[in-house]
Amino acid sequence: MDKAIIGGTGVYSIGNSISKEIETIYGKAYVDIVNINGEEIVFLARHGKGHSTPPHLINYRANMKALEQIGVKYIYATAAVGSCNENYSVGDVVVIKDFIDFTKSRPLTFYEGGDSSVVHTDMSEPYCRNLISRFYDEAKNLSINIKGEAVYCCTEGPRFETASEIRMYKRLGADVVGMTNVPEVVLAKELGMCYSAVGIITNFCTGISSSIELHDIEGAMNRNKEIVTKAFINVFKGNLNQESCRCKNSRIIL
Ligand code: HPA
């Protein structure tokens, strides 16, 4: 089982599955195993099935360690995001190409020194170039309109941002804002995994346009989640390897 999909807000399952609880040294994680054409694909609902865990309390280390323990090497994730780029509007699909980290209080590494050693992880290419390119191919086959690539700013949440914060993030180069991709992508790199995230714009960020409405978030996700996860599954039906990306060599151990 080397392929997994992490479903963000609004994406809580991908079909008939068997649920599994995985014990890790960081705590438990819960996954569903889905059989697609004879191959088992792992599905992990980032916030729990009923959206019960807020972004700052998600046990990212348990989730990622659990995926590693069952053999996962390739991960696609969905992310509900607000847009601070006027070119990306509600319902649009964007490929995340880089991140800016404004989280504050989360465990952000597996490497805490001592026995676990000191590791500095290369972030020159946080999102797997091979998975991104395969997603583009499948999105084309499925006529998914990818609006563009986006720099993701990760905030601590769970509150939304102030208008001044959004102005700052935008000036720093952010296109979209969310609360969960860090440390998820960082931990994936620490484990030498290939990881790619696709953003679905659910709202304009505070101060960019009118206020955030919950039904906007649900509606935008519902319109896109199935087709985006279908593209992920189509990539997973093919063969993948780690020869044309740098993901498995991201750790720099001192
Ligand atoms: N800000 C932060 N996270 C989000 C947003 C937002 O506007 N929309 C969806 N997730």
Side-chain angles (χ1 to χ4, degrees):
M1 260 186 298
D2 61 357
K3 296 161 183 162
I5 293 173
I6 299 181
T9 300
V11 183
Y12 304 119
S13 78
I14 54 167
N16 290 340
S17 58
I18 297 168
S19 300
K20 204 172 152 82
E21 182 181 295
I22 303 168
E23 189 77 50
T24 76
I25 57 167
Y26 301 101
K28 288 185 177 142
Y30 303 89
V31 298
D32 291 338
I33 313 294
V34 189
N35 192 307
I36 309 247
N37 296 348
E39 185 176 9
E40 291 184 320
I41 291 180
V42 183
F43 176 79
L44 188 150
R46 185 185 289 125
H47 295 271
K49 281 272 165 58
H51 199 89
S52 50
T53 313
H56 64 300
L57 295 180
I58 291 171
N59 192 340
Y60 296 95
R61 291 196 297 190
N63 285 351
M64 301 309 283
K65 194 72 191 170
L67 294 180
E68 186 204 34
Q69 282 175 204
I70 56 177
V72 169
K73 282 201 253 171
Y74 307 100
I75 300 175
Y76 276 116
T78 64
V81 289
S83 170
C84 55
N85 176 335
E86 285 82 354
N87 296 319
Y88 299 155
S89 56
V90 176
D92 286 348
V93 174
V94 292
V95 170
I96 298 177
K97 66 171 176 194
D98 205 355
F99 69 78
I100 301 173
D101 180 11
F102 272 95
T103 63
K104 294 176 189 162
S105 70
R106 311 170 179 192
L108 42 80
T109 179
F110 289 115
Y111 297 100
E112 308 273 18
D115 287 345
S116 66
S117 72
V118 175
V119 170
H120 300 284
T121 307
D122 177 24
M123 285 292 128
S124 53
E125 217 170 82
Y127 300 91
C128 174
R129 75 159 85 120
N130 189 34
L131 286 186
I132 290 176
S133 123
R134 302 292 282 269
F135 177 72
Y136 275 116
D137 294 343
E138 291 305 333
K140 198 165 167 203
N141 291 338
L142 293 170
S143 307
I144 300 175
N145 180 13
I146 300 175
K147 249 328 180 38
E149 301 203 332
V151 174
Y152 177 108
C153 176
C154 194
T155 66
E156 183 67 4
R159 67 169 176 84
F160 284 112
E161 303 71 38
T162 66
S164 300
E165 286 171 328
I166 291 298
R167 261 197 311 279
M168 173 180 72
Y169 298 149
K170 191 171 154 64
R171 282 196 185 169
L172 293 179
D175 300 296
V176 297
V177 181
M179 303 176 190
T180 55
N181 216 242
V182 181
E184 193 171 274
V185 61
V186 177
L187 297 173
K189 295 282 99 165
E190 287 192 352
L191 296 172
M193 294 166 164
C194 294
Y195 178 101
S196 163
V198 171
I200 300 176
I201 313 275
T202 54
N203 57 280
F204 276 112
C205 292
T206 315
I208 299 285
S209 179
S210 53
S211 62
I212 296 159
E213 303 276 356
L214 188 61
H215 66 260
D216 290 349
I217 296 188
E218 285 167 352
M221 287 310 295
N222 289 340
R223 279 195 295 283
N224 286 303
K225 65 186 185 191
E226 268 161 37
I227 194 82
V228 168
T229 50
K230 192 166 176 13
F232 295 164
I233 288 168
N234 286 355
V235 174
F236 283 167
K237 284 181 184 160
N239 289 328
L240 289 171
N241 62 56
Q242 293 195 299
E243 302 315 311
S244 49
C245 61
R246 309 152 62 131
C247 301
K248 73 169 190 290
N249 299 316
S250 301
R251 284 160 289 196
I252 299 166
I253 300 174
L254 297 185

